[in-house]
Amino acid sequence: MARPALRRATRPAEAGRPRLAHLDRDRSLVDAARADPARFDALYRKYVAQVYNYAVYELGDHHEAEDATERTFLSALAALPRFEERARADDGDGASTFRIWLFKIARNVVAERRRRWRRRPEAPLDLATDAPSPRDVESTVLARESAASALRAIDRLSGDRRRAVVLRLVHEMTTAEIAEILGRSDGAVRVLIHRGLRDVARELRSRSPEGRA
Amino acid sequence: MTLGPTARDGEIEALVVDRYLESLLDRDPLDDAAVPSDLRATADRLARGLPRYHPSFRFEEELAARLAAASGRVGRLIEFPIQEARALVAGDERAAPVGPVRPVVIGGMLTSAALSIAGAAYVAWRRGRPPAHAMTRAVRAVARARTS
C-alpha cells in the first residue's frame, strides 16, 4: 500500500487558485473535540502510545516519558482551538496534520525537559533489557540482545540524526512528515537518515565478533 | 548555490536509500543493488528490532482521567478493547496485527511476542470477577449454559 507524502512544493498551475479543502485523516476527531473537549479522548487514545514511545526514545526514562506525554496532551488539549489543519489536496488520504502538530508539541516538551534535566542517563537502552522475561528461551535472549545492540547504536547518534531514524523506522513516518516535525527540508531529512543508518551499520559492525577480529 | 559532486552524490544516495526504506516499511522490500548490502541489513534489523514502548495501562487511564477533568468532564466510562485483547490472548491470527512483529515494552517491561501481559491479566481479572450488574450476571449465566 502506497503511503501518503506531505509535499512542500506547490504546483505553479495551482498557485492563486482556490482549492477544495482536503480531508485530513483526523479531521472528524479534531472537529468533534473542538465541539466538545471531552471527545479529545479519541485523539488521545489514538496517539498516546506514539507520543510516549517518542518520549522514551528521546529521554530514555519511563517516568520522564510519562511526564512528557502528560504535558504534551494537556498542552494539545489547551491549544486545540488554535490548531490549523494544513493538509493539502496532494497530501494523500492518510495525511494527518494533527499528528505532525502533536509531535511538534512533544518535541518542544522534550526539549524543555532536556534543558531542565541537562543530562541524559548513561544507559537508557537498558530499559529494554532490565526486566526478566517469563519465557527466557534462547530465541528470546537472542532477540533481546539484538534489540539492545540496535538500541545502543541508535543512542549513539546525534540529536536530529537519531530523531529522524526513529521517526522513520519506528513510527514509520514519511520523510515529509519528519521534515515538518524537525523543521528541515525533505532532502535534509533523507540525508540525516542515510548518515544515521551508515553510523549504526558501522557501530554494529565494530561490535560484532567479525568486526572486532 | 551549486552543490559539489560529493554533496550531490550523497543526496542521490540518500534518495535511493529512502526509496528502499519506503518499500521496507510497506513490507515489500525492493531488491535494489544500488543500496549497499550493509545498509539494507541495518535498516531491516532496526525496522524489526527496535522496540515500541507502550505506556502502562494504569498511566494511560490516569492521564485519560486528568484530560477528562481538564476538559470539564470527570469520570467518563472508558471502554476497554476486550475483543482485541481476547483475540491476541487466544492467538487468533485473523485478528492479529499484520506486518513484522516488533518487541513491545509496556511501562518498562519487555514482552516476548508483542503480547501485553498486562492486557492478558486484565482480561483474566475481568472474566474471573463476578459482575456487579444483575443483567451482566444473567448474560454470563446464559453464555455458560450454552457452552456447557
Side-chain angles (χ1 to χ4, degrees):
Chain A
M1 185 184 74
R3 297 179 335 114
L6 291 171
R7 271 174 276 169
R8 286 172 176 276
T10 306
R11 290 177 198 146
E14 291 180 349
R17 175 155 48 106
R19 294 201 290 170
L20 290 173
H22 180 67
L23 276 178
D24 188 290
R25 184 174 62 192
D26 292 319
R27 175 181 279 189
S28 60
L29 297 178
V30 170
D31 286 348
R34 277 180 166 150
D36 176 4
R39 296 180 71 180
F40 183 75
D41 186 70
L43 287 164
Y44 163 72
R45 298 283 173 185
K46 187 170 181 181
Y47 290 116
V48 62
Q50 291 186 33
V51 169
Y52 174 82
N53 188 47
Y54 172 78
V56 172
Y57 270 96
E58 282 295 301
L59 297 167
D61 179 275
H62 285 289
H63 297 295
E64 289 285 338
E66 285 181 353
D67 287 346
T69 304
E70 178 172 349
R71 289 209 54 192
T72 298
F73 280 99
L74 285 170
S75 302
L77 177 63
L80 194 62
R82 297 195 299 276
F83 166 67
E84 286 178 31
E85 184 189 303
R86 287 180 187 160
R88 287 158 292 192
D90 52 358
D91 287 345
D93 289 335
S96 171
T97 48
F98 176 79
R99 179 163 84 146
I100 291 169
W101 179 73
L102 190 64
F103 268 79
K104 280 182 180 175
I105 295 174
R107 183 177 166 238
N108 291 339
V109 168
V110 164
E112 188 207 9
R113 295 196 79 78
R114 274 239 176 96
R115 276 196 294 275
R116 281 169 35 197
W117 194 12
R118 291 284 176 201
R119 178 177 162 272
R120 297 189 67 219
E122 290 294 318
L125 307 173
D126 288 345
L127 282 170
T129 55
D130 270 353
S133 165
R135 296 193 299 169
D136 238 356
V137 292
E138 189 183 3
S139 60
T140 308
V141 173
L142 288 173
R144 189 187 290 187
E145 281 175 2
S146 175
S149 61
L151 278 165
R152 269 194 292 273
I154 284 285
D155 194 53
R156 285 176 185 271
L157 296 175
S158 60
D160 272 357
R161 219 174 262 195
R162 183 187 64 253
R163 272 171 220 125
V165 170
V166 168
L167 289 173
R168 188 80 170 106
L169 291 174
V170 179
H171 292 272
E172 304 191 4
M173 288 186 178
T174 62
T175 48
E177 287 173 312
I178 299 166
E180 290 279 343
I181 291 166
L182 300 184
R184 289 171 176 259
S185 69
D186 293 12
V189 168
R190 278 193 289 268
V191 170
L192 279 175
I193 294 168
H194 179 221
R195 290 181 181 163
L197 278 179
R198 245 182 9 202
D199 291 350
V200 171
R202 197 178 303 125
E203 171 76 15
L204 292 175
R205 212 168 35 237
S206 73
R207 288 181 173 274
S208 71
E210 297 82 18
R212 282 198 296 265
Chain B
M1 189 183 81
T2 309
L3 292 174
T6 310
R8 192 178 296 135
D9 289 350
E11 286 204 2
I12 291 169
E13 200 178 339
L15 199 62
V16 171
V17 169
D18 190 63
R19 195 180 59 174
Y20 175 76
L21 293 180
E22 191 67 28
S23 70
L24 180 70
L25 295 174
D26 281 341
R27 280 74 176 164
D28 185 20
L30 294 168
D31 187 17
D32 193 343
V35 181
S37 59
D38 62 333
L39 285 192
R40 270 188 287 175
T42 302
D44 190 57
R45 183 169 172 181
L46 294 183
R48 287 176 184 277
L50 287 178
R52 279 184 173 153
Y53 296 96
H54 199 285
S56 67
F57 182 72
R58 183 178 174 179
F59 166 75
E60 189 176 333
E61 296 310 315
E62 284 176 355
L63 181 51
R66 278 196 287 279
L67 286 166
S71 67
R73 279 198 190 177
V74 188
R76 262 180 84 226
L77 180 67
I78 295 158
E79 287 183 14
F80 186 79
I82 204 152
Q83 290 301 337
E84 283 176 36
R86 276 185 184 151
L88 280 171
V89 171
D92 185 347
E93 290 182 1
R94 287 167 301 176
V98 292
V101 176
R102 293 169 184 274
V104 174
V105 181
I106 301 173
M109 180 180 287
L110 181 71
T111 69
S112 57
L115 169 68
S116 160
I117 293 169
Y122 183 75
V123 172
W125 175 74
R126 281 284 300 266
R127 295 199 70 173
R129 184 169 164 260
H133 199 274
M135 184 57 77
T136 317
R137 281 198 296 274
V139 168
R140 284 202 187 172
V142 170
R144 269 198 302 273
R146 279 185 183 164
T147 51
S148 61

